[in-house]
Amino acid sequence: MLEYKDYVYAVYQERSFSRAAQKLYISQPWLSSVVKKVEQEVKAPLFDRSTNPISLTEAGRYYIEQVEKVTAIEEDMRRYFAELHVENGKELHIGSSMFFCTYVLPRLMDEFRALYPDITLTFSEGSTKSMVDKMLHGKVDFLLEAERIHDPQIETMAWASEEIVLAVPARFAINRELAEYCYSFDSLLKRNEPGRKKPAVPLQRFQDEPFLMLKQGNDIYERSAALCRKAGFEPRITMYLTQMMTAYYLTCEGTGVSFLRSTIPEYVTPTDSVVFYQLDDPLAIREIYLSYPRRKADAVQRKLVDFMGSKALGEEI
C-alpha cells in the first residue's frame, strides 16, 4: 500500500501526472500505472482526474495525510541514527567575546571535553551582532554573552551573573582617601570570605578622574555611563576602547579608571599596580546568557546545553 507512496505524493505535489513524471525522471504512462495499482489496492480512487489541475478525493486526502505521518517518522529515525553514528565525532562552534574565548571557555570546556573527548569545540571571537548572524546561518551553535538575544529563531537562557567593579591605578592619590573601600588584587578575590567584605565606594568621589570606557553600543559602556549619571556626574572619558582586557592593562599602567568584570583577576597574573572598588547599584550586576538556535537540538548540542546549565546557572562568575 505504501510501496509507491513517493510516486503518489509527487503527483499530489505537482497536481499533474506529466510534471510529476518529469520530476521523478520516469515516463508518464509508467507513473499512471503505478498510481492505478495503488488505487486498486486500496479499492478507491486517490485523484479526481476530471478537474484541472487534478485534485485529491476524500480517500486521497486520507492517504496523503498518512504518507506525511510515515515520512515524518522515517525522517525522525534517520536523524536519530545519523546522530547516534556521529555523536562521538561532532564539532560544536561557540561564539563569544575575546575575554570568554581566551579565559573562561578554555578552562570550562576542559571539563566538558573530559566527559566527551571525541567532541571537537571551536571558539569564535566577535561582536554579538556578528555572532548572531553566524548562528542564523548555521555557522555558530552557541553564543555566550552578556546580552539577551531577542530573535524568534534563537533560544536564550540565563547562564550566570557577573559583578562589575571599578578598577583604579594603584598610584592614583584618591586611593589613599578611600582606603576603607579599597580592595587589593588578592583581597578582591577573597572578598566573599567571612570578615573580608568592604563597603561599596561612593562613585561620585571619582568624578575628576580620567576614565577609560569601552565604545558606545557595548553593554558595559551603557552601564558605566548610567552608573556615573546616577552618581551625579558625567565621566571625563580620555580614551574609548574595543576590548575590556585592553582597558584592564591600561589601568594597570596608570592611564585611567575603568569599569571591569570582577572575574578578570582570576585569569591574569597578580599585580600591585591596580586596586578595585565594589559598586552598590543593580546596574553593577548583569546576566550572562547562553543562546542557541530554537530548532530542535541534536544529541550533542543538548549535552553542551545540559553541561552549561549544571555549571553556572544562577552563580556569580
Side-chain angles (χ1 to χ4, degrees):
M1 186 180 301
L2 294 176
E3 181 181 358
Y4 299 109
K5 67 181 187 304
D6 293 336
Y7 298 101
V8 177
Y9 200 78
V11 176
Y12 156 70
Q13 286 183 311
E14 299 299 323
R15 298 293 195 272
S16 164
F17 278 89
S18 60
R19 288 198 300 271
Q22 292 174 0
K23 179 180 179 180
L24 296 170
Y25 299 100
I26 58 177
S27 70
Q28 181 177 335
W30 189 87
L31 177 60
S32 296
S33 67
V34 165
V35 174
K36 195 67 177 176
K37 182 176 181 179
V38 175
E39 290 177 323
Q40 290 172 348
E41 187 176 358
V42 300
K43 297 180 173 59
L46 300 178
F47 296 100
D48 183 350
R49 294 163 174 79
S50 67
T51 62
N52 187 16
I54 61 172
S55 58
L56 291 170
T57 63
E58 185 176 345
R61 284 192 291 273
Y62 176 81
Y63 184 91
I64 293 299
E65 287 174 1
Q66 303 314 305
V67 166
E68 290 177 337
K69 291 178 183 178
V70 170
T71 301
I73 292 172
E74 290 177 339
E75 182 59 32
D76 281 345
M77 290 179 65
R78 277 193 292 270
R79 187 184 300 112
Y80 172 82
F81 287 111
E83 291 173 3
L84 189 66
H85 177 69
V86 303
E87 183 171 334
N88 292 326
K90 177 81 174 183
E91 182 174 0
L92 293 177
H93 297 262
I94 305 175
S96 193
S97 64
M98 183 275 285
F99 175 77
F100 278 108
C101 286
T102 304
Y103 298 101
V104 178
L105 285 171
R107 182 188 297 183
L108 186 64
M109 290 300 105
D110 278 347
E111 187 174 344
F112 181 79
R113 279 191 290 260
L115 294 171
Y116 308 105
D118 294 322
I119 296 177
T120 302
L121 296 171
T122 301
F123 302 148
S124 299
E125 298 177 15
S127 67
T128 301
K129 185 178 183 301
S130 67
M131 290 296 106
V132 168
D133 185 64
K134 287 184 177 181
M135 181 178 291
L136 294 175
H137 287 84
K139 297 178 181 179
V140 168
D141 298 297
F142 294 94
L143 173 61
L144 189 67
E145 195 48 87
E147 292 184 42
R148 179 182 286 277
I149 308 303
H150 298 283
D151 189 292
Q153 300 180 66
I154 295 177
E155 186 78 28
T156 297
M157 72 177 208
W159 174 66
S161 61
E162 69 173 359
E163 181 183 3
I164 298 169
V165 296
L166 190 70
V168 181
R171 64 180 178 83
F172 275 23
I174 193 171
N175 296 315
R176 292 190 290 274
E177 304 172 18
L178 302 172
E180 64 179 303
Y181 308 100
C182 184
Y183 288 98
S184 66
F185 193 101
D186 182 63
S187 63
L188 181 72
L189 294 174
K190 298 177 180 178
R191 66 190 182 282
N192 292 321
E193 295 180 3
R196 299 269 190 169
K197 197 77 168 179
K198 295 188 177 185
V201 73
L203 185 57
Q204 65 268 25
R205 297 290 294 275
F206 294 91
Q207 59 184 335
D208 295 325
E209 304 298 329
F211 278 79
L212 311 177
M213 301 279 269
L214 296 190
K215 286 187 175 181
Q216 295 185 26
N218 187 289
D219 180 71
I220 285 287
Y221 169 83
E222 302 297 337
R223 289 173 182 269
S224 302
L227 284 165
C228 292
R229 284 194 296 271
K230 289 176 73 173
F233 71 96
E234 290 294 328
R236 184 166 63 88
I237 303 171
T238 58
M239 193 178 298
Y240 286 100
L241 305 164
T242 59
Q243 296 290 344
M244 189 179 295
M245 291 307 296
T246 305
Y248 167 73
Y249 287 117
L250 287 175
T251 299
C252 291
E253 291 176 8
T255 306
V257 172
S258 60
F259 292 93
L260 304 175
R261 48 177 34 118
S262 63
T263 45
I264 287 178
E266 297 178 22
Y267 300 97
V268 297
T269 304
T271 176
D272 295 329
S273 62
V274 62
V275 295
F276 304 92
Y277 297 88
Q278 287 188 285
L279 304 166
D280 184 17
D281 192 291
L283 285 172
I285 301 294
R286 66 175 183 170
E287 298 294 320
I288 304 297
Y289 297 96
L290 180 68
S291 301
Y292 48 94
R294 193 177 291 275
R295 58 176 166 72
K296 184 179 180 181
D298 63 31
V300 178
Q301 291 171 322
R302 194 71 247 169
K303 282 181 170 61
L304 184 60
V305 172
D306 293 342
F307 173 80
M308 293 291 284
S310 69
K311 297 310 295 181
L313 185 60
E315 298 175 7
E316 183 179 296
I317 63 168

